[in-house]
């Protein structure tokens, strides 16, 4: 504003007016257009100027805004209006809401919410009796205004939107702001009966506000026509000169009774007004019902019977849309008009049943790929059925899930019915929870009868102890375990089962159940036994042949020489030869004795290092004699091995014996102890003797094949057998004229 002498003067005067308390508050009632009762008051400021008399707000409000004087002025208005309301309440006047106008500047006052709260406290007024009027222009800064309004609402104060329709009328913010009332601007009201456009605007504002659940106030009601028009359009509250001019509090009170008579005397009768309100409520309920019908997930319909035909009179819901139908295709039509014929006849039967009076006639239907369940019930008027109501629920998803379930169930059934694995689940006590159908095939009895029994009821008594040990170790280690035991077949024979037992723990870590998956290995076991037996037989057979052969050779020689000796020629030479052949026979026999040596010496823990030293000691003299150096290396802390000591000694002696024999002209024999994989050790014997060719290596395990010129070859076979019974391995590598390397691998600890 341009600074002039006048404006400077006005500012000074306004300041003085505040100090000298020249402002007055006038009050204008707000009347309920149904009952005529005064339900609210608007506080309007006046300036009692010493010279100019009563100055209306239009002449100083905007100036007070610009100078900031509106802040102290606004606080004065609030304080005065609140304490006036409190006074009226105390005086016993019927409760009313006091409206106070807020200016934009006040909205930007940093502590507005606090100030309002403070003033309410000081005047001891319940916040529900205070209403603040804001204007549309204040909505421009949406975020800020929204914050302030929310703060005010939290206090419990009501908000009303003044002069609606004149300002920044964006309908978008209306439902976002916490607004309780809309005041239709007086410019629309005054001409609402004369000007059809204004009438239309007023009507639509009322409808919209109702839709938003806000109360509508019409300001500037000046005539009876205005009143009736607004009543007819069910506007709730009214304000204007027709009821009362704004007046000072003490002048207004005497008119209260008179004011409250205006609506009953001048307006439409309360009965008509109420009927109209009812009508409107009915209409809005109908609208709401329609919306609900349309928005419902399912579908609701009504049919009536006309000339033996069932005609749809109502149908709506999202299910109908999903079926690809519109209300137009259904309403006024029969089933056969929109449904495929094959379903019509059946559904008509259900319709007849409901028409006969049966409640909840239910059927499942399908339309355009949508599955639904319909429930029909008769609509009665007294004893007469006058329609059928049907409600449908979409079950397509359910149907899909069901199909998938049946599918997976049948797959699962095929598997469980055809598998040969024996599956059992046991609870923590060992009771059978589930037992697979395969038990019937493998063990011959119906598994059902065993549910609830102890799992051990089926097991061979000799295997129960072992099974128990395994059970406890599974619980302790929480790891699954493999075990072999025997099950009783229904015929009484025993079935050997190899099973994996796995524990399943709950979230607290406690055993929930055990899953046992077993396989019948009876046949495999029998086959293995047979194979072993036949292998043994073949070996014996082979041995018998070889022994016969080996013995026949020297025997033939002896026989020949003895015959020659009988003739009496060159006796000493013959005797020498015969003795050699007898020695050979002795060799064969001693090798056999080795084979027959007791194999079941007790197993015990043996320190291998000590054992090797003892064996090396045995060969010490012979090595010295043949210029052979024996070296022992030990790179590894050797734990004890669990073995038959004399057998292992026998193996090592045999290997060393061969090594020394491979070095007729001297050389080196090394023995090395190596760690293998944490569970095994490796004892390596290396010599740099004449070695063996590949063919010889291949045949080394065969009976009577010897690396030496003499001997039976039984030695290697025996060594292999011994190492095998210790769950170990023997590996030989050799190169002609380079040497031979023998690795003996043995398990550490108990091994088995
Ligand atoms: P408003 O809040 O829309 O107030 C209604 C105005 O219409 C009042 O004018 C009132 O006297 C007048 N009025 C009421 N019924 C009728 C009617 O039937 N016919 C006609 N022609 N007029 C009617 P008033 O008191 O001159 O106030 C004018 C404006 O000044 C108010 O409009 C309001 O915006 C502002 N105002 C008044 N008091 C305060 C106040 O304390 N603080 C602030 N910030 N603004 C105020
Ligand atoms: Mg106002
Ligand atoms: Mg107004």
């Amino acid at each position: 504003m341009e600074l002039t002498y006048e404006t400077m003067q006005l500012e000074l005067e306004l300041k003085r007016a505040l100090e000298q308390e020249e402002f007055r508050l006038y009050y204008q009632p707000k009347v309920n257009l149904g009952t005529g009762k005064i339900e609210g008051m608007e506080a309007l400021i006046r300036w009692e100027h010493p010279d100019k008399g009563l100055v209306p707000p239009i002449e100083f409000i905007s100036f007070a805004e610009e100078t900031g004087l509106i802040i102290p002025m606004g606080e004065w208005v609030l304080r005065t209006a609140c304490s006036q309301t409190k006074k009226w309440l105390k005086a016993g006047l019927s409760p009313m809401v006091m409206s106070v106008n807020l200016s934009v500047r006040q909205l930007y006052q940093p502590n507005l919410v606090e100030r309002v709260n403070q003033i309410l406290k000081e005047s001891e007024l319940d916040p529900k009796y205070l209403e603040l009027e804001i204007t549309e222009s204040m909505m421009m800064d949406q975020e800020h205004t929204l914050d302030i309004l929310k703060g005010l609402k939290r206090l419990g104060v009501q908000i009303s939107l003044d002069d609606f329709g004149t300002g920044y009328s964006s309908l978008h913010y209306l439902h976002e702001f916490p607004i309780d009332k809309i005041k239709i601007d007086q410019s629309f009201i005054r001409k609402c009966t004369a000007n059809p456009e204004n009438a239309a605007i007023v009507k639509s504002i009322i409808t919209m506000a109702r839709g938003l659940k806000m109360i509508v106030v019409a300001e500037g009601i000046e005539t009876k026509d205005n009143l009736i028009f607004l009543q007819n359009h069910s506007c709730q509250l009214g304000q204007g000169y027709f009821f009362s001019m704004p007046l000072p509090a003490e002048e207004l009170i005497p008119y209260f009774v008179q004011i409250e008579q205006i609506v009953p005397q001048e307006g439409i009768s309360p009965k008509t007004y109420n009927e109209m309100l009812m009508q409107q409520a009915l209409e809005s309920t109908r609208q709401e019902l329609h919306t609900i019908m349309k928005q419902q997930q399912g579908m609701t319909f009504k049919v009536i019977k006309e000339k033996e035909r069932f005609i749809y009179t109502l149908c709506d819901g999202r299910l109908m849309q999903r079926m690809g139908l519109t209300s137009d295709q259904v309403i006024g039509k029969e089933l056969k008009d929109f449904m495929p014929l094959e379903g019509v006849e059946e559904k008509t039967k259900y319709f007849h049943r409901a028409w006969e009076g049966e409640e909840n006639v239910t059927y499942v239907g399908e339309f355009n790929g949508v599955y639904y369940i319909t429930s029909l019930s008769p609509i009665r008027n007294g004893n007469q059925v006058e329609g059928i109501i049907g409600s449908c629920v979409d079950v397509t998803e359910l149907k899909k899930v069901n199909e998938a379930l049946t599918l997976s169930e049948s797959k699962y059934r095929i598997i469980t019915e055809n598998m040969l694995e024996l599956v059992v689940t046991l609870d923590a006590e060992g009771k059978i929870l589930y037992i697979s159908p395969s038990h019937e095939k493998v063990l011959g009895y119906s598994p059902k009868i065993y549910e609830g029994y102890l799992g051990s009821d089926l097991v061979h008594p000799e295997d129960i102890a072992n099974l128990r040990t395994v059970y406890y170790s599974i619980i302790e280690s929480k790891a699954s375990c493999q075990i072999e035991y025997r099950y009783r077949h229904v015929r009484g024979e025993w079935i050997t089962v190899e099973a994996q037992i796995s524990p399943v723990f709950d979230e607290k870590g406690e055993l929930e159940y055990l899953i046992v998956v077993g396989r019948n290995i009876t046949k495999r076991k029998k086959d293995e036994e047979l194979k072993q037996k036949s292998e043994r037989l073949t070996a014996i057979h082979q041995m018998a042949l070889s022994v016969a052969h080996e013995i026949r050779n020297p025997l033939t020689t002896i026989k020949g020489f003895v015959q020659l000796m009988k003739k009496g020629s060159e006796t000493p030479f013959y005797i020498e030869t015969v003795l050699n052949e007898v020695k050979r026979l002795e060799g064969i026999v001693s090798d056999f004795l080795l084979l027959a040596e007791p194999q079941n010496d007790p197993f015990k823990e043996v320190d291998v290092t000590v054992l090797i030293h003892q064996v090396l000691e045995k060969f010490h003299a012979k090595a010295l004699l043949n210029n052979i150096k024996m070296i022992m290396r030990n790179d590894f802390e050797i734990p004890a091995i669990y073995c038959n000591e004399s057998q292992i000694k026998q193996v090592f002696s045999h290997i060393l014996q061969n090594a020394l024999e491979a070095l007729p002209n001297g050389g080196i024999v090394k023995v090395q102890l190596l760690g293998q994989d944490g569970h095994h050790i490796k004892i390596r014997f290396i010599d740099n003797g004449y070695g063996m060719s590949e063919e010889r290596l291949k045949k080394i395990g065969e009976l009577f094949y010897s690396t030496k010129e003499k001997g039976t070859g039984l030695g290697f076979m025996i060594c292999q057998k011994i190492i095998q019974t210790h769950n170990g391995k023997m590996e030989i590598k050799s190169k002609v004229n380079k040497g031979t390397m023998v690795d003996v691998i043995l398990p550490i600890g108990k091994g088995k």
Side-chain angles (χ1 to χ4, degrees):
M1 196 206 301
E2 214 175 300
L3 203 63
T4 60
Y5 174 74
E6 283 81 19
T7 57
M8 265 171 64
Q9 183 67 25
L10 185 56
E11 188 173 352
L12 285 174
E13 279 190 35
L14 274 177
K15 276 187 185 152
R16 189 205 63 222
L18 263 173
E19 281 158 22
Q20 311 268 313
E21 300 191 355
E22 290 171 10
F23 294 113
R24 303 279 172 269
L25 273 193
Y26 277 46
Y27 299 94
Q28 191 179 31
K30 278 180 201 162
V31 173
N32 181 314
L33 297 187
T35 62
K37 296 272 178 249
I38 296 171
E39 286 189 356
M41 238 10 128
E42 179 168 8
L44 295 157
I45 197 167
R46 303 285 180 266
W47 181 7
E48 222 169 63
H49 195 278
D51 310 323
K52 297 179 200 158
L54 210 60
V55 182
I58 185 132
E59 285 177 30
F60 60 88
I61 286 289
S62 58
F63 186 75
E65 279 235 327
E66 275 175 50
T67 53
L69 280 169
I70 195 80
I71 304 290
M73 191 189 289
E75 281 206 13
W76 176 83
V77 175
L78 255 177
R79 218 177 302 120
T80 314
C82 286
S83 58
Q84 183 61 64
T85 316
K86 184 74 191 178
K87 252 187 242 166
W88 278 334
L89 280 171
K90 267 190 177 163
L93 264 113
S94 54
M96 60 186 90
V97 178
M98 178 62 74
S99 300
V100 172
N101 293 282
L102 275 192
S103 83
V104 189
R105 187 105 182 209
Q106 281 174 286
L107 213 66
Y108 283 91
Q109 180 184 340
N111 53 354
L112 176 71
V113 180
E114 261 167 64
R115 291 305 301 145
V116 172
N117 192 27
Q118 186 68 30
I119 291 165
L120 282 165
K121 290 240 163 76
E122 281 166 16
S123 53
E124 295 175 347
L125 182 69
D126 187 329
K128 70 179 179 191
Y129 295 122
L130 178 64
E131 181 175 282
L132 296 173
E133 293 194 0
I134 58 164
T135 53
E136 288 171 290
S137 57
M138 297 185 191
M139 309 290 220
M140 304 263 255
D141 185 354
Q142 288 191 22
E143 250 169 67
H144 174 78
T145 308
L146 193 60
D147 265 8
I148 302 290
L149 294 190
K150 279 183 180 165
L152 291 169
K153 282 305 292 177
R154 270 197 291 274
L155 293 182
V157 169
Q158 296 189 47
I159 308 290
S160 130
L161 190 55
D162 206 355
D163 305 339
F164 187 78
T166 57
Y168 170 74
S169 290
S170 161
L171 297 181
H172 144 84
Y173 59 73
L174 269 184
H175 73 275
E176 285 189 3
F177 282 79
I179 293 166
D180 305 285
K181 288 188 187 123
I182 285 183
K183 293 180 83 175
I184 308 175
D185 190 69
Q186 38 180 291
S187 58
F188 301 113
I189 305 297
R190 243 180 283 134
K191 292 181 210 145
C192 68
T193 39
N195 181 329
E197 277 103 58
N198 277 352
I201 290 172
V202 172
K203 271 195 271 182
S204 54
I205 294 176
I206 295 173
T207 314
M208 179 200 69
R210 278 194 171 275
L212 293 168
K213 306 262 183 299
M214 291 173 184
I215 290 170
V216 191
V217 186
E219 54 178 19
I221 300 178
E222 292 185 352
T223 63
K224 180 176 167 157
D225 289 349
N226 291 162
L227 169 66
I228 291 172
F229 176 86
L230 289 160
Q231 280 185 310
N232 276 329
H233 293 96
S234 59
C235 173
Q236 294 111 314
L237 290 172
Q239 181 183 354
Y241 295 165
F242 191 63
F243 303 110
S244 168
M245 300 273 285
L247 289 171
E250 60 286 357
E251 278 178 45
L252 186 61
I253 302 295
Y255 287 111
F256 263 42
V257 178
Q258 210 178 314
I259 292 167
E260 291 191 335
Q261 283 306 307
I262 295 172
V263 167
Q265 281 170 9
E266 307 285 332
I268 56 175
S269 78
K271 191 170 163 271
T272 321
Y273 182 79
N274 278 338
E275 269 173 14
M276 205 191 57
L277 279 185
M278 289 281 279
Q279 200 60 42
Q280 240 144 34
L282 217 70
E283 174 57 25
S284 76
T285 312
R286 219 182 60 84
Q287 280 287 337
E288 211 162 316
L289 207 74
H290 183 74
T291 317
I292 291 172
M293 278 277 288
K294 222 183 183 51
Q295 302 277 315
Q296 67 171 319
Q297 278 303 326
M299 179 172 91
T300 307
F301 61 81
K302 186 187 162 188
V303 286
I304 55 161
K305 202 171 169 189
E306 242 179 45
K307 296 179 192 149
E308 290 308 303
R309 290 156 62 224
F310 289 105
I311 310 283
Y312 281 74
T313 57
L314 189 112
C315 186
D316 220 331
R318 294 190 187 176
L319 178 54
M320 182 186 77
Q321 294 157 25
R322 278 199 295 280
M323 287 174 169
L325 288 168
T326 62
S327 296
D328 291 348
Q329 284 173 290
V330 179
I331 292 169
K333 307 281 167 59
E334 288 184 77
L335 268 172
K336 69 172 173 56
D337 297 330
F338 58 88
M339 277 246 161
L341 277 179
E342 59 264 27
V344 172
E345 197 182 330
E346 202 195 341
K347 288 188 183 84
T348 310
K349 275 185 205 156
Y350 295 119
F351 281 16
H352 275 294
R353 274 166 57 189
W355 194 265
E356 299 298 303
E358 192 179 327
E359 299 278 346
N360 280 324
V361 180
T362 307
Y363 62 87
V364 181
E366 184 268 340
F367 190 78
N368 279 346
V370 178
Y371 289 84
Y372 58 94
I373 292 180
T374 303
S375 173
L376 302 174
S377 284
I379 308 168
R380 284 173 222 269
N381 188 359
N383 281 335
Q384 194 69 32
V385 173
E386 54 173 33
I388 300 169
I389 184 142
S391 37
C392 313
V393 186
D394 192 341
V395 291
T396 315
E397 284 300 309
L398 218 70
K399 173 103 184 160
K400 272 190 219 148
V401 171
N402 237 343
E403 269 167 13
L405 264 179
T406 331
L407 199 72
S408 75
E409 213 177 72
S410 70
K411 272 188 200 158
Y412 169 74
R413 209 175 38 240
I414 289 169
I415 294 168
T416 47
E417 279 174 4
N418 290 291
M419 70 177 186
L420 288 175
E421 263 75 15
L422 302 164
V423 182
V424 184
T425 53
L426 305 161
D427 66 8
E429 272 84 52
K431 278 217 186 76
I432 296 175
L433 300 172
Y434 167 80
I435 184 158
S436 64
S438 48
H439 281 74
E440 185 148 15
K441 270 191 201 138
V442 180
L443 303 174
Y445 51 75
S446 162
K448 277 272 167 274
I449 59 160
Y450 271 91
E451 270 170 37
Y453 271 70
L454 277 178
S456 53
D457 292 354
L458 304 171
V459 173
H460 195 293
E462 281 172 20
D463 293 340
I464 285 176
N466 190 22
L467 210 59
R468 243 179 230 140
T469 319
V470 166
Y471 171 77
Y472 289 118
S473 86
I474 287 173
I475 291 176
E476 211 174 288
S477 65
K478 300 197 169 183
S480 63
C481 191
Q482 201 163 21
I483 184 176
E484 213 178 280
Y485 53 89
R486 286 159 292 175
Y487 262 149
R488 192 199 305 279
H489 191 278
V490 77
R491 288 191 299 264
E493 71 221 33
W494 294 102
I495 302 289
T496 311
V497 170
E498 182 186 76
Q500 182 83 24
I501 307 182
S502 309
V504 176
F505 296 92
D506 62 16
E507 62 272 18
K508 281 187 220 137
E510 270 168 43
L511 181 76
E512 218 175 334
Y513 51 87
L514 291 164
I515 301 177
V516 185
V517 180
R519 184 175 302 132
N520 180 359
I521 56 159
T522 317
K523 189 172 177 302
R524 194 178 87 195
K525 276 240 127 162
K526 273 194 185 135
D527 286 354
E528 265 169 21
E529 269 168 32
L530 266 175
K531 199 172 143 216
Q532 270 176 11
K533 234 183 231 168
S534 81
E535 265 173 10
R536 239 191 340 261
L537 279 174
T538 334
I540 289 169
H541 177 75
Q542 248 180 32
M543 202 189 281
L545 272 177
S546 312
V547 168
H549 177 75
E550 282 294 303
I551 290 177
R552 201 172 47 202
N553 282 348
L555 278 181
T556 315
T557 317
I558 291 169
K559 191 177 160 197
F561 280 110
V562 170
Q563 275 168 353
L564 283 174
M565 274 157 67
K566 222 167 135 190
K567 287 180 186 162
S569 52
E570 290 187 64
T571 314
F573 171 72
Y574 298 147
I575 288 177
E576 187 67 20
T577 314
V578 168
L579 273 177
N580 278 339
E581 291 303 317
V582 168
K583 244 190 201 161
R584 196 162 162 206
L585 284 172
E586 256 174 13
I588 293 167
V589 171
S590 66
D591 272 356
F592 267 105
L593 282 177
L594 259 182
L595 249 185
E597 230 171 55
Q599 305 270 314
N600 46 359
D601 262 16
F603 268 56
K604 60 181 180 201
E605 289 202 341
V606 174
D607 184 334
V608 201
T609 323
V610 175
L611 190 143
I612 291 173
H613 275 297
Q614 286 170 355
V615 179
L616 285 175
E617 196 54 44
K618 234 171 64 178
F619 291 94
H620 187 65
K622 191 173 179 189
L624 261 181
L625 215 69
N626 291 297
N627 198 19
I628 295 167
K629 219 171 155 187
M630 292 200 298
I631 307 165
M632 167 141 166
R633 273 188 58 184
N634 186 359
D635 299 346
F636 171 63
E637 188 66 43
I638 301 291
I641 60 162
Y642 193 72
C643 68
N644 180 326
E645 192 178 0
S646 59
Q647 284 186 357
I648 295 295
K649 258 189 193 163
Q650 192 185 329
V651 171
F652 291 173
S653 304
H654 182 84
I655 296 168
L656 279 170
Q657 174 80 35
N658 277 321
L660 293 186
E661 277 170 16
L663 292 163
N665 305 315
I668 301 169
V669 175
K670 273 193 204 166
V671 183
Q672 193 178 9
L673 288 177
L674 297 153
Q676 174 80 350
D677 56 8
H679 301 292
H680 296 83
I681 57 160
K682 188 192 270 180
I683 304 121
R684 176 166 287 180
F685 301 83
I686 314 173
D687 66 65
N688 60 348
Y690 48 63
M692 287 173 278
S693 68
E694 268 185 40
E695 302 103 78
R696 286 185 86 172
L697 253 183
K698 268 184 212 150
K699 291 183 174 172
I700 199 159
E702 283 174 20
L703 205 58
F704 297 110
Y705 185 88
S706 175
T707 51
K708 304 168 227 165
E709 292 304 304
K710 295 169 188 168
T712 57
L714 263 175
F716 264 108
M717 202 172 145
I718 292 162
C719 290
Q720 289 275 20
K721 277 257 140 63
I722 290 173
I723 298 302
Q724 270 165 23
T725 55
H726 282 76
N727 283 329
K729 249 195 327 200
M730 205 161 107
E731 286 166 2
I732 305 174
K733 282 185 192 135
S734 190
K735 267 206 175 120
V736 180
N737 294 330
K738 284 263 152 77
T740 304
M741 184 170 91
V742 183
D743 283 343
V744 176
I745 298 154
L746 286 168
I748 295 169
K750 295 215 171 174
K752 273 199 171 180

